[in-house]
Amino acid sequence: MKNSGDRSPSIIRRLPKYYRAICELSEITISRVSSKELGKLTGFNPSQIRQDLNSFGGFGQQGYGYNVKNLKENLEKILNLTTKKTMVLLGVGNLGNALLNYPGFNENGFEIVAAFDRDRNKIGTEIGGVKVHDIDTLQEFLKTNTIDIAVLTLHKDVAQRYATICAENGIRGFWNFAPKKLRLPSRAVVENIWLNESLYTLGYFLTEKIREEDELLNNTNYDFIEK
Amino acid sequence: MKNSGDRSPSIIRRLPKYYRAICELSEITISRVSSKELGKLTGFNPSQIRQDLNSFGGFGQQGYGYNVKNLKENLEKILNLTTKKTMVLLGVGNLGNALLNYPGFNENGFEIVAAFDRDRNKIGTEIGGVKVHDIDTLQEFLKTNTIDIAVLTLHKDVAQRYATICAENGIRGFWNFAPKKLRLPSRAVVENIWLNESLYTLGYFLTEKIREEDELLNNTNYDFIEK
């Protein structure tokens, strides 16, 4: 268990950011990158980046930096992007629709294999190449298909009910967009994306920054008058 | 500046989670809540919650807990949800569409006043009650309208270009869904929502958890054989 035990969740959360930067460099066919340049692309401190990557075995060379292709492959291995992960999407509203039409997940092994909704007008249709099933058939579907991740884009009032059905039928990964804290067995892994909370946080920091600058401005004026 | 200086960003990120829980309680007309119950609803330690709320002036009473209505109002004040914030949305693709059709932001003062795209078929239409403008008219629009936040749901290759136009024309808040680290003046506040990164993180933790349990299982079997 040592492999993961000595790495904090915050390191893990930085890895996809390194991966995004490395993909950008790879697209414009840059072959070599320093931790300093990676720092500029990701906003992290170069020594932090070196330390993080060292904890997975290095991949860099002093004075040379990192080979882009090599680091990209290693990050894909660490993040397990080379293995296929199957997903079901529950709730084909606007957000569910957007996710079904997003081609980016498939590229890295995340495949939505079926969508579920209770709306008769949606059941039977195909969105982004994925068939929409009656959500009442979810349990039956899960009994005959091995699914790694449930994407929850349904209303918060029903999120728990369907998350429980998923957990009881073998799903362990939950990508939850419903603004609701899910109660799931400890074997489940949950990643929440709560849009409102993100927006409120932005609003708070924005207000604070403007207030601080106003105060600074007022204090400056005051000093000026004092003199 | 003391007011915000002694509170870490991580406290601020927990506040919207307390607010979500309090709203849930308020909906089902519960009038009083303990930090222990708030802990169950949010997943945080009760003493952490008390400490966080104390740093904003308390709002609770020993032995009684928190008055739901009172705490809700105080959190709304702290998060500044009572003041209107104007937003423009750039990029009316699937995700942009989903956000335009989401009624939840408006409730707490975040109002999308205009959307922008370059697609001739979208320009002039209305989505979720918001008019779509030609993105070439963005600068002109910003010169005559005061906008607090830009919602970036456009392609990562053009995100920086339009973010710069926004910043140069008075926008200070950026809610960025484009998987690209933006370079903006220090007066800007950026909140990124990067779906791919969130999914990769989920994939990583899921794989790790399964691997750890397999190892544990193997070790257990081994011990058994040894005996």
Side-chain angles (χ1 to χ4, degrees):
Chain A
M1 289 217 263
K2 184 185 169 293
N3 271 353
S4 67
D6 52 0
R7 289 181 212 118
S8 72
S10 44
I11 296 186
I12 307 307
R13 291 194 179 274
R14 287 193 289 272
L15 291 180
K17 297 184 198 293
Y18 303 152
Y19 181 66
R20 175 183 46 73
I22 277 291
C23 285
E24 277 179 31
L25 294 171
S26 177
E27 270 173 32
I28 51 172
T29 62
I30 281 177
S31 62
R32 181 178 147 181
V33 65
S34 67
S35 54
K36 199 176 155 191
E37 288 159 327
L38 269 180
K40 275 190 199 155
L41 286 169
T42 57
F44 297 115
N45 191 301
S47 74
Q48 166 106 81
I49 295 172
R50 287 195 300 274
Q51 200 181 319
D52 286 353
L53 294 176
N54 275 340
S55 81
F56 285 94
F59 320 126
Q61 219 177 309
Q62 200 161 17
Y64 173 86
Y66 299 92
N67 176 293
V68 169
K69 186 165 171 282
N70 178 266
L71 183 52
K72 183 166 179 277
E73 283 170 5
N74 274 301
L75 286 171
E76 279 165 359
K77 228 178 278 170
I78 295 168
L79 289 167
N80 197 27
L81 300 180
T82 46
T83 315
K84 193 173 127 177
K85 272 85 50 184
T86 51
M87 312 202 280
V88 289
L89 181 139
L90 311 186
V92 189
N94 289 306
L95 185 59
N97 236 294
L99 295 180
L100 286 171
N101 280 301
Y102 184 71
F105 306 135
N106 244 321
E107 284 166 24
N108 288 105
F110 293 88
E111 192 194 351
I112 302 178
V113 295
F116 293 85
D117 204 283
R118 62 175 181 185
D119 184 344
R120 298 276 143 213
N121 296 318
K122 289 173 186 166
I123 295 165
T125 64
E126 251 189 38
I127 299 171
V130 179
K131 198 174 163 190
V132 182
H133 301 253
D134 185 344
I135 199 156
D136 286 342
T137 66
L138 175 64
Q139 187 156 11
E140 199 185 314
F141 181 91
L142 295 179
K143 285 201 191 302
T144 49
N145 293 275
T146 305
I147 302 297
D148 301 306
I149 294 168
V151 185
L152 306 179
T153 46
L154 26 66
H155 194 277
K156 71 177 169 57
D157 292 347
V158 294
Q160 180 63 61
R161 190 203 314 170
Y162 291 107
T164 302
I165 292 177
C166 289
E168 284 173 356
N169 289 279
I171 297 187
R172 300 188 53 177
F174 291 85
W175 202 24
N176 177 38
F177 290 79
K180 179 96 190 167
K181 173 99 186 152
L182 300 172
R183 288 165 198 245
L184 291 167
S186 63
R187 61 200 294 277
V189 178
V190 184
E191 177 82 9
N192 295 305
I193 294 215
W194 290 334
L195 297 182
N196 264 334
E197 295 190 7
S198 165
L199 189 55
Y200 295 171
T201 308
L202 172 61
Y204 178 90
F205 285 123
L206 190 59
T207 311
E208 274 303 291
K209 196 151 196 170
I210 291 168
R211 203 180 54 74
E212 279 175 17
E213 285 179 7
D214 283 353
E215 272 179 25
L216 205 65
L217 205 67
N218 288 339
N219 289 342
T220 313
N221 288 345
Y222 185 72
D223 287 351
F224 184 74
I225 293 162
E226 283 283 274
K227 281 170 197 163
Chain B
M1 289 218 264
K2 183 183 169 295
N3 270 355
S4 67
D6 52 359
R7 288 179 212 119
S8 72
S10 45
I11 296 186
I12 307 307
R13 290 193 179 276
R14 286 193 290 271
L15 291 181
K17 297 183 198 295
Y18 302 152
Y19 181 67
R20 175 183 47 73
I22 277 292
C23 286
E24 276 179 33
L25 294 172
S26 177
E27 271 173 32
I28 52 172
T29 62
I30 281 177
S31 63
R32 182 177 146 182
V33 65
S34 66
S35 54
K36 199 175 155 191
E37 288 159 328
L38 270 180
K40 273 190 199 156
L41 286 169
T42 59
F44 297 114
N45 191 301
S47 72
Q48 165 106 82
I49 294 172
R50 286 194 302 273
Q51 199 181 318
D52 285 353
L53 294 176
N54 275 341
S55 81
F56 286 95
F59 322 126
Q61 219 177 309
Q62 201 161 17
Y64 173 85
Y66 300 91
N67 175 294
V68 169
K69 186 166 171 281
N70 179 265
L71 182 54
K72 184 167 178 276
E73 283 171 5
N74 275 300
L75 286 171
E76 281 165 359
K77 228 178 279 170
I78 295 168
L79 289 167
N80 197 27
L81 299 180
T82 46
T83 315
K84 194 175 127 176
K85 273 84 52 184
T86 52
M87 313 202 280
V88 289
L89 181 139
L90 311 186
V92 189
N94 289 306
L95 186 58
N97 235 296
L99 295 181
L100 287 171
N101 281 301
Y102 184 72
F105 305 136
N106 244 320
E107 284 167 25
N108 288 105
F110 293 89
E111 191 195 350
I112 301 178
V113 295
F116 293 85
D117 204 282
R118 61 174 182 186
D119 184 343
R120 299 276 142 213
N121 295 319
K122 289 173 187 165
I123 295 166
T125 63
E126 251 189 39
I127 300 171
V130 179
K131 198 174 163 191
V132 182
H133 301 253
D134 184 344
I135 199 156
D136 287 340
T137 66
L138 174 63
Q139 188 156 9
E140 199 186 313
F141 182 91
L142 295 179
K143 286 202 191 302
T144 48
N145 294 274
T146 306
I147 302 296
D148 300 308
I149 295 168
V151 185
L152 306 178
T153 46
L154 26 66
H155 193 276
K156 72 177 169 56
D157 292 347
V158 294
Q160 181 63 61
R161 191 202 315 170
Y162 291 106
T164 302
I165 292 176
C166 289
E168 284 173 354
N169 289 278
I171 297 187
R172 300 186 54 175
F174 292 85
W175 202 25
N176 177 37
F177 290 78
K180 179 96 190 168
K181 171 98 185 152
L182 300 174
R183 287 165 199 245
L184 290 167
S186 63
R187 60 200 295 277
V189 179
V190 185
E191 177 81 10
N192 295 304
I193 294 215
W194 289 335
L195 297 181
N196 263 333
E197 295 190 7
S198 164
L199 189 55
Y200 295 170
T201 308
L202 172 61
Y204 178 90
F205 286 123
L206 190 59
T207 312
E208 274 304 290
K209 196 149 195 171
I210 292 167
R211 204 180 52 74
E212 280 174 17
E213 285 179 6
D214 283 353
E215 270 179 26
L216 205 65
L217 204 68
N218 286 339
N219 289 342
T220 314
N221 288 345
Y222 185 72
D223 286 351
F224 184 75
I225 293 162
E226 282 283 275
K227 281 168 196 164

